[in-house]
Amino acid sequence: MKLELRNLTKTYGPLTVLDRVSLSLEEVHSLVFIGPSGGGKTTLLRLIAGLETPDDGEIIINDHPVEFGSEETLREYRKRIGMVFQAYNLFPHLTALENITLPLVKVHGYAPERAREEALILLERFHLADQAVKKPAQLSGGQKQRIAICRAVAIRPEFLLLDEPTSALDPEYTSEVLDLIGELRSEGMRLILVTHEMGFARQAADYLLFVGDGGIISQGRPEILFGKTGDERVSRFLNKVLKYN
Amino acid sequence: MNSYLHDLPGGTNRKAHLISGVFVALLLAGVFWFGFSRLGYRFAWSTIYEYRLNFLRGYGITLLLSLFALILSLLLGVLFGLGQKSRFLPYRYFSLFYVELIRGTPLLVQILIFFYVIANAAGLNNRFVVGVLIMALFAGAYIAEIIRGGVESIGESQRETARSLGFSPVQTYRYVIFPQVLTRILPSLAGQLASLIKDSSLLSVIAIKEFTMAAREMNANTFSTLEAYVPLAVGYLLLTLPISRLTRLLERKFSYET
């Protein structure tokens, strides 16, 4: 996946969250954003997801600029990507299975039978078949997030965006979600991931962006970014988050 | 039934529930018995027998009128409940004015104005139709508020998720928001239906021959007030008690969300 950002700027009122961010990446399979809270990584991800419109600048993915001009073109764009949220955001009135089939049937025009088959194959593969007819309230956090990931990949997206997918989880469920993400990655699913799990970031990322203070402070392959030579702000942040690891 | 008892304060002691229920019923009966005995009223139940057809016809009219009004008021409720959030400002303000005016004025005044001013000017002479329209307009404003509250109670994250999955705004309402709103507001809607049935009794002031009108007529002709109005209370209770029972049931059934 080629990703290019040109002078990307996003403000909320007087607050400039992203300030003229530029970036050019060739063929990256899994891109991970790390950095301090409030530094702009989630905003950057949401811009790439087409959920926010920038105040200025462009996002170019695989040589196609994201058209922020109208809600219709954005909707077409969103249909081609998968998004996973921190708080799972499953629809509470639908079963796990229906959460996956609803977008397939209503947005992507699958016949209900085929959507069901596809969803069941996915659930089976990720050992969630027993949970298919349960409502989200009956599921554990880890199960909910894995089903949310199934929902996002069921549409066969061009790439998958994950916004701190393990931050809302009890620690015991973190690994089952990270395992699933790792499995998808090894199958060739392209990912952009925001995370605070440094161990996972290091292991799963082809390329890391350290986002903070309204821009990209540092970037590079994991062995370089986690090495000793990096930016001072990066090493200070890493020292803090890795203190008890 | 068992689980219903389990959830109540007072625990699972069936005997205690039974005794308490009987005690309260006896207490109420005692109070009424005392009141009526002091009054020294001699009931002449034979009068109501002569008026039984009048009462039954009125009961039927009340039921039918409430039913039509309910259907129409649901449509109005959706229309103006969503309208209060519309980006099209005239629609939004029309919705706001409608809801505030209806909710802020007595039903009696609305009935009189609608009947003598609006319906008269529009050449609408069928009292039943006028009654349905008035009750629908009245209940519609309350239902609009119920629906607005229900829609607002669905978190922004649900809309955003639907957006991220490529749902159009219409699809988001149709498949994500409305199903959840409906389950949340069903108890309030059932309560509104019970109110609608009772409130329709005021339509007797414009001489619609509904249930209360039957009692008023009988009272006017025979001066047997209590024989006319006590059956009235029983008749309304027979309609509203099952509804409030149903409301409890619905609340339980849809408590899946945490």
Side-chain angles (χ1 to χ4, degrees):
Chain A
M1 175 173 56
K2 273 171 80 175
L3 176 69
E4 204 180 333
L5 309 177
R6 286 189 195 148
N7 283 323
L8 199 64
T9 300
K10 179 71 189 173
T11 58
Y12 294 103
L15 192 70
T16 303
V17 184
L18 293 175
D19 189 11
R20 280 164 292 147
V21 176
S22 292
L23 176 75
S24 182
L25 292 175
E26 300 279 334
E27 248 354 272
V28 56
H29 255 91
S30 65
L31 178 65
V32 175
F33 302 167
I34 57 171
S37 297
K41 26 181 218 316
T42 291
T43 304
L44 183 55
L45 192 78
R46 289 169 55 83
L47 282 164
I48 296 171
L51 290 171
E52 304 271 355
T53 44
D55 295 292
D56 197 20
E58 275 186 295
I59 299 174
I60 298 143
I61 295 169
N62 297 333
D63 298 319
H64 295 291
V66 179
E67 292 172 52
F68 288 103
S70 77
E71 186 61 26
E72 279 69 34
T73 54
L74 267 182
R75 193 182 314 141
E76 288 308 312
Y77 168 68
R78 289 188 209 114
K79 284 183 192 175
R80 295 187 276 116
I81 57 179
M83 175 83 188
V84 176
F85 296 90
Q86 184 177 346
Y88 341 122
N89 294 13
L90 291 175
F91 299 129
H93 61 301
L94 300 178
T95 63
L97 185 67
E98 290 165 340
N99 262 284
I100 301 172
T101 56
L102 185 73
L104 288 177
V105 174
K106 301 303 174 191
V107 179
H108 297 272
Y110 282 49
E113 250 329 289
R114 203 182 135 223
R116 212 181 124 80
E117 278 167 28
E118 295 263 326
L120 282 173
I121 290 169
L122 265 176
L123 290 172
E124 190 75 47
R125 229 182 76 198
F126 296 120
H127 315 293
L128 290 160
D130 293 342
Q131 324 302 334
V133 295
K134 288 189 187 161
K135 293 262 170 75
Q138 298 165 283
L139 300 168
S140 75
Q143 289 169 334
K144 279 190 258 198
Q145 192 59 296
R146 281 151 65 207
I147 285 159
I149 294 172
C150 286
R151 176 173 70 179
V153 298
I155 63 163
R156 299 174 193 273
E158 286 176 26
F159 53 93
L160 187 62
L161 302 173
L162 304 108
D163 182 11
E164 302 189 24
T166 59
S167 293
L169 292 175
D170 288 336
E172 52 175 321
Y173 299 128
T174 303
S175 62
E176 67 184 53
V177 170
L178 293 181
D179 285 348
L180 171 50
I181 297 169
E183 212 176 314
L184 287 170
R185 177 183 177 271
S186 59
E187 282 167 15
M189 173 66 74
R190 298 184 185 92
L191 315 167
I192 302 180
L193 169 75
V194 174
T195 189
H196 289 296
E197 297 288 335
M198 291 306 145
F200 184 73
R202 187 172 198 162
Q203 183 199 330
D206 286 344
Y207 202 81
L208 278 157
L209 298 183
F210 187 92
V211 183
D213 295 341
I216 296 167
I217 291 175
S218 186
Q219 53 180 295
R221 302 185 60 78
E223 59 273 20
I224 298 184
L225 203 78
F226 281 98
K228 294 285 171 210
T229 53
D231 185 282
E232 192 234 343
R233 280 177 290 185
V234 180
S235 44
R236 217 181 322 127
F237 174 79
L238 290 177
N239 279 338
K240 259 193 263 176
V241 295
L242 296 176
K243 192 170 174 188
Y244 291 105
N245 274 16
Chain B
M1 190 63 204
N2 232 338
S3 71
Y4 179 68
L5 287 177
H6 276 289
D7 297 345
L8 288 173
T12 57
N13 190 340
R14 275 166 170 276
K15 207 181 262 173
H17 281 280
L18 192 70
I19 292 172
S20 306
V22 170
F23 173 72
V24 172
L26 283 176
L27 190 74
L28 277 175
V31 167
F32 278 110
W33 181 82
F34 180 72
F36 280 113
S37 70
R38 296 282 293 200
L39 192 63
Y41 190 87
R42 283 188 23 235
F43 281 95
W45 288 115
S46 54
T47 18
I48 193 172
Y49 188 73
E50 287 166 34
Y51 281 84
R52 66 191 185 281
L53 283 181
N54 231 0
F55 268 86
L56 282 177
R57 227 176 278 131
Y59 205 43
I61 298 269
T62 287
L63 252 176
L64 216 59
L65 195 145
S66 300
L67 191 71
F68 285 129
L70 177 79
I71 294 165
L72 199 55
S73 66
L74 280 174
L75 294 176
L76 288 172
V78 172
L79 194 65
F80 293 113
L82 297 181
Q84 292 179 75
K85 291 271 135 189
S86 173
R87 274 188 223 164
F88 181 56
L89 287 180
Y91 177 31
R92 185 196 297 184
Y93 277 91
F94 193 82
S95 307
L96 286 172
F97 271 72
Y98 163 70
V99 168
E100 294 303 330
L101 273 178
I102 297 283
R103 278 164 40 103
T105 55
L107 177 58
L108 184 62
V109 179
Q110 291 166 24
I111 291 173
L112 294 174
I113 291 182
F114 192 90
F115 182 66
Y116 288 111
V117 182
I118 299 172
N120 187 39
L124 206 58
N125 293 319
N126 186 324
R127 281 166 199 257
F128 181 80
V129 173
V130 172
V132 168
L133 288 178
I134 291 172
M135 291 317 296
L137 277 172
F138 178 71
Y142 287 86
I143 291 175
E145 277 296 277
I146 293 173
I147 287 175
R148 184 188 60 80
V151 169
E152 276 175 12
S153 77
I154 305 294
E156 186 53 40
S157 68
Q158 296 278 314
R159 282 165 225 263
E160 178 157 286
T161 309
R163 226 153 59 91
S164 82
L165 289 165
F167 284 94
S168 70
V170 174
Q171 287 177 320
T172 303
Y173 269 93
R174 167 87 177 73
Y175 301 113
V176 177
I177 297 181
F178 273 144
Q180 295 184 63
V181 167
L182 194 66
T183 55
R184 283 188 200 187
I185 66 174
L186 262 179
S188 330
L189 279 184
Q192 191 58 45
L193 169 62
S195 298
L196 178 76
I197 292 171
K198 281 181 300 158
D199 294 340
S200 70
S201 66
L202 270 176
L203 288 173
S204 58
V205 300
I206 54 167
I208 291 176
K209 290 188 177 287
E210 45 72 72
F211 196 33
T212 304
M213 190 64 188
R216 285 166 64 118
E217 271 180 358
M218 174 174 140
N219 183 35
N221 293 338
T222 64
F223 304 110
S224 38
T225 313
L226 288 173
E227 291 89 333
Y229 282 102
V230 171
L232 199 62
V234 175
Y236 281 113
L237 268 179
L238 282 179
L239 290 178
T240 53
L241 278 183
I243 291 172
S244 76
R245 190 80 203 156
L246 182 75
T247 311
R248 293 268 172 89
L249 225 92
L250 292 174
E251 274 170 12
R252 253 150 235 290
K253 182 150 189 247
F254 293 118
S255 59
Y256 63 83
E257 287 170 71
T258 44

